Amino acid sequence: MIRLYGVARSRATRPLWVLYETGMAFEQIPVVQAYRLADPLAADAPLNTASPEFLAVNAQGLVPALRDGDLVMTESLAISWYLARAYGGDLAPQTPQEEAMALQWAFVGGTAVEDAGLRITKAITADGYEAAMQQPAVQADIAALRRPFALIEAGLEGRDWLLGARFTVADIMLAECVRYAQPAKDLLADYPRLSAWLARAQNRPAFARVMADRAAEPA
Ligand SMILES: N[C@@H](CCC(=O)N[C@@H](CS)C(=O)NCC(=O)O)C(=O)O
């Protein structure tokens, strides 16, 4: 059986969302981030990213990781892609053109959206919305996000989903990167198609299950 290592309060949300969309059985091993523990190597510490057992699966000590038979994977977007491709039916791209665009959207998410979005969310969580918006670093991240957001806005013209009429793993991969920037509400409001697409994606029952998993875990 497929084993997914990682908690829902991590980038494991991406493959979890794909798995819930497919409805397939899998085993989740709740590996928590080491930095969230006082002493990750204590005898009574829960399995975490610094545990030797987990480092034997992913030597870089990051979640998520996936084991499917002999295949071991350690990148959330690639894992999501694989699960959709292997088990997701038409959740996966079906043509070389769809594959090309799905990969492109994943790279946009992973290279142009994710880090800036995470920094913005952390600043808003730490300091509150108004104070965070005054910070030059946050303003720089918001300015940087305008480029990929303009691209997404243009890419969604005349279509509900990134690849056209059907929801695919491309939407999961990019939506889970854009979610990090979601607390920047005034930024998102400037991109109505992106905002409506994100709302549509987050309306899916599989996404609600992932968020319920997150809410059930300690913060
Ligand atoms: N590029 C990796 C990044 C994975 C990553 O940064 N995971 C974080 C949690 S979201 C982690 O495991 N941090 C634990 C640590 O830094 O010890 C991916 O997308 O899978």
Side-chain angles (χ1 to χ4, degrees), residues 203-219:
N203 223 14
R204 295 182 70 85
F207 177 78
R209 275 185 79 181
V210 176
M211 289 300 115
D213 288 356
R214 273 176 77 89
E217 290 176 0

Side-chain angles (χ1 to χ4, degrees), residues 186-199:
D186 292 320
L187 169 69
L188 265 80
D190 288 342
Y191 302 91
R193 283 195 289 268
L194 177 153
S195 297
W197 159 79
L198 191 60

Side-chain angles (χ1 to χ4, degrees), residues 8 17 40 43 49 53 59-60 68 70 99-100 105 121-122 135 137 144 153 162 181 184 193 204-205 209 211 218:
W17 187 350
T49 51
E53 308 94 282
Q60 64 183 340
D68 187 9
D70 290 339
E99 284 192 350
W105 286 124
T121 290
K122 279 183 187 153
Q135 296 167 15
E153 188 75 0
L162 292 170
R193 283 195 289 268
R204 295 182 70 85
R209 275 185 79 181
M211 289 300 115

Side-chain angles (χ1 to χ4, degrees), residues 75-215:
E75 274 296 326
S76 60
L77 295 173
I79 294 169
S80 304
W81 172 276
Y82 165 71
L83 289 170
R85 207 63 184 70
Y87 305 108
D90 70 0
L91 198 58
Q94 302 293 309
T95 63
Q97 289 74 16
E98 285 194 352
E99 284 192 350
M101 289 312 296
L103 274 181
Q104 183 164 296
W105 286 124
F107 291 145
V108 168
T111 64
V113 175
E114 178 176 278
D115 285 351
L118 268 175
R119 285 192 295 269
I120 291 170
T121 290
K122 279 183 187 153
I124 293 175
T125 305
D127 304 324
Y129 184 79
E130 299 302 337
M133 289 305 129
Q134 304 305 317
Q135 296 167 15
V138 170
Q139 280 305 318
D141 280 330
I142 285 180
L145 281 175
R146 289 190 181 280
R147 284 176 186 246
F149 279 16
L151 187 72
I152 298 167
E153 188 75 0
L156 287 167
E157 189 172 356
R159 50 179 57 194
D160 276 354
W161 303 111
L162 292 170
L163 298 191
R166 81 180 197 287
F167 175 82
T168 68
V169 68
D171 298 293
I172 294 177
M173 294 188 295
L174 188 59
E176 276 300 276
C177 294
V178 172
R179 179 167 63 82
Y180 291 143
Q182 210 166 351
K185 52 184 193 296
D186 292 320
L187 169 69
L188 265 80
D190 288 342
Y191 302 91
R193 283 195 289 268
L194 177 153
S195 297
W197 159 79
L198 191 60
R200 264 194 303 282
Q202 294 182 346
N203 223 14
R204 295 182 70 85
F207 177 78
R209 275 185 79 181
V210 176
M211 289 300 115
D213 288 356
R214 273 176 77 89

Side-chain angles (χ1 to χ4, degrees), residues 10-11 14 33-35 49 61-64 74-77 114:
S10 78
R11 289 170 177 83
R14 300 160 181 185
Q33 293 95 328
Y35 63 74
T49 51
L62 296 172
V63 286
T74 57
E75 274 296 326
S76 60
L77 295 173
E114 178 176 278

Side-chain angles (χ1 to χ4, degrees), residues 12-28:
T13 53
R14 300 160 181 185
L16 261 181
W17 187 350
V18 177
L19 286 162
Y20 285 153
E21 290 283 350
T22 70
M24 66 190 293
F26 66 96
E27 183 184 4
Q28 185 176 354

